[in-house]
Amino acid sequence: MERRVRLIPYRLIAEVEEVTEVPKGIEMIQAPKVWEQTKGKGMTVAILDTGCDVTHPDLTERIIGGRNFTNDDNGNEDVYRDYNGHGTHVAGTIAATQNQQGVVGVAPEANLLIVKVLDQNGAGQYEWIINGIYYAIEQKVDIISMSLGGPEDVPALHEAIKKAVENHILVVCAAGNEGDGQDATNEFDYPGSYNEVISVGAINLERRISDFSNSNNEVDLVAPGETILSTYLDGKYAKLSGTSMATPHVSGALALIKAIATESFERELTVTELYAQLIKRTVPLGDSPKLEGNGLLYLTTADYLKKVFSNQVKAAVAEVLVKN
């Protein structure tokens, strides 16, 4: 029997004809406060998904190419059009252009490589995913973003991911949507549960863990994943929910983090060093590590902690002055 992989299940909340705003999830992770330093220019994110609406006005400037590994469009490898909507939504969260209309992504000047590995039904063969990963490696991308998965641990898929990491590529994957809101039970989805990937769980816009978000000891961090506004088919916009929507927040953030770190350290950091830079930019939410990993992605954590520390010092000094 042919083994299949699929989109991490997600919910379409609403379609929108026109918008002009910075989505709440982008604001929540503090991305706009980093744009004075970088907007991700020079970084390339490969999106392994259902393709992309390459004519969308918020995305067309960001797309540098791609390839189709599915049977859609008679298997024409040069046509990576999205007939599903999922891939287009992910692309917008990562890098929708800041053009004073529509939405803006986490890294609005990053490049997007569209790697279509799932068909119009959101399903595909493991071979398509594996070939897509090797293609992304050949193209020397900085980050691979995958909001897909299945319950089966496929050794060839694992090997492809290891090869990507060996080639200094950060691999970001959705944790999965089979969760029950309890950390006592484990739900594993692959490739999200491989140790080599950065596994992303979801929270809602009130910073609470999404009930559907998988819990296990491989979850690295969480990001906004409910009612996420982004680009959609036919130049439109939509709000979707799922760990699929949380994942591109982290993929885009890594484009910003890598750009900043490369300039600061004046060298290329290793995947391990970049992972450390990512985890430095998280804040605990008080939930189990199986649910939230290291916490919520928060790009200005250093400034936040500095402010908290400063306030604590001021309070301590005030207390001493009162006593004296």
Side-chain angles (χ1 to χ4, degrees):
M1 185 176 71
E2 187 181 78
R3 296 180 302 182
R4 305 284 286 180
V5 68
R6 53 169 171 68
L7 286 177
I8 300 289
Y10 67 99
R11 289 180 57 210
L12 170 61
I13 307 301
E15 285 192 46
V16 186
E17 289 283 341
E18 294 182 13
V19 297
T20 303
E21 66 179 85
V22 178
K24 292 182 176 63
I26 309 296
E27 295 273 14
M28 184 181 290
I29 67 168
Q30 302 292 291
K33 294 188 177 178
V34 179
W35 292 341
E36 290 182 6
Q37 294 175 265
T38 181
K39 294 180 181 178
K41 189 173 183 178
M43 297 294 114
T44 300
V45 182
I47 302 174
L48 275 64
D49 213 292
T50 59
C52 187
D53 177 359
V54 298
T55 63
H56 198 292
D58 289 2
L59 299 174
T60 184
E61 293 180 20
R62 306 269 56 85
I63 298 169
I64 59 170
R67 181 166 294 180
N68 172 33
F69 290 93
T70 77
N71 293 327
D72 284 357
D73 292 298
N74 297 314
N76 186 336
E77 66 178 25
D78 295 322
V79 181
Y80 34 90
R81 181 179 174 185
D82 185 8
Y83 300 100
N84 179 281
H86 188 274
T88 301
H89 195 274
V90 166
T93 298
I94 294 173
T97 303
Q98 191 175 24
N99 55 7
Q100 314 310 316
Q101 63 181 22
V103 296
V104 59
V106 177
E109 292 182 1
N111 298 321
L112 297 177
L113 184 73
I114 307 303
V115 187
K116 183 170 177 172
V117 296
L118 299 176
D119 62 22
Q120 57 192 317
N121 300 312
Q125 302 172 20
Y126 277 97
E127 181 183 3
W128 298 348
I129 315 294
I130 293 163
N131 290 340
I133 293 170
Y134 283 114
Y135 170 70
I137 294 170
E138 290 170 7
Q139 299 302 307
K140 296 179 168 36
V141 303
D142 298 283
I143 299 144
I144 291 175
S145 186
M146 291 191 282
S147 293
L148 51 81
E152 190 173 357
D153 178 356
V154 177
L157 174 62
H158 197 181
E159 283 303 313
I161 287 169
K162 289 179 182 178
K163 184 62 68 175
V165 174
E166 286 171 14
N167 281 271
H168 315 295
I169 298 171
L170 294 146
V171 182
V172 187
C173 298
N177 293 358
E178 289 80 38
D180 57 7
Q182 305 294 322
D183 67 347
T185 55
N186 292 324
E187 303 88 24
F188 293 101
D189 222 339
Y190 299 93
S193 294
Y194 292 134
N195 185 254
E196 291 81 6
V197 311
I198 297 167
S199 181
V200 185
I203 61 167
N204 61 25
L205 296 177
E206 286 72 46
R207 297 191 180 190
R208 290 193 287 271
I209 298 292
S210 301
D211 287 341
F212 55 74
S213 191
N214 281 12
S215 64
N216 60 65
N217 57 7
E218 294 294 345
V219 174
D220 290 288
L221 74 168
V222 292
E226 292 192 42
T227 60
I228 301 303
L229 177 66
S230 187
T231 47
Y232 207 57
L233 298 179
D234 302 320
K236 297 178 183 177
Y237 304 87
K239 291 182 179 181
L240 306 184
S241 292
T243 54
S244 281
M245 285 57 256
T247 301
H249 284 88
V250 176
S251 301
L254 282 167
L256 300 178
I257 290 168
K258 185 172 181 179
I260 292 169
T262 300
E263 183 176 342
S264 298
F265 289 90
E266 298 182 347
R267 65 176 176 86
E268 290 283 333
L269 271 64
T270 65
V271 166
T272 302
E273 288 173 323
L274 287 167
Y275 176 75
Q277 290 294 318
L278 172 67
I279 298 308
K280 276 174 59 177
R281 293 165 169 85
T282 58
V283 291
L285 297 175
D287 282 294
S288 163
K290 284 188 173 184
L291 289 166
E292 69 170 62
N294 290 278
L296 167 64
L297 171 63
Y298 200 81
L299 285 164
T300 57
T301 299
D303 294 337
Y304 171 76
L305 292 176
K306 190 184 298 181
K307 182 178 179 180
V308 170
F309 179 71
S310 175
N311 289 339
Q312 289 175 339
V313 170
K314 288 177 182 176
V317 171
E319 186 176 348
V320 170
L321 291 173
V322 169
K323 287 182 178 178
N324 293 333

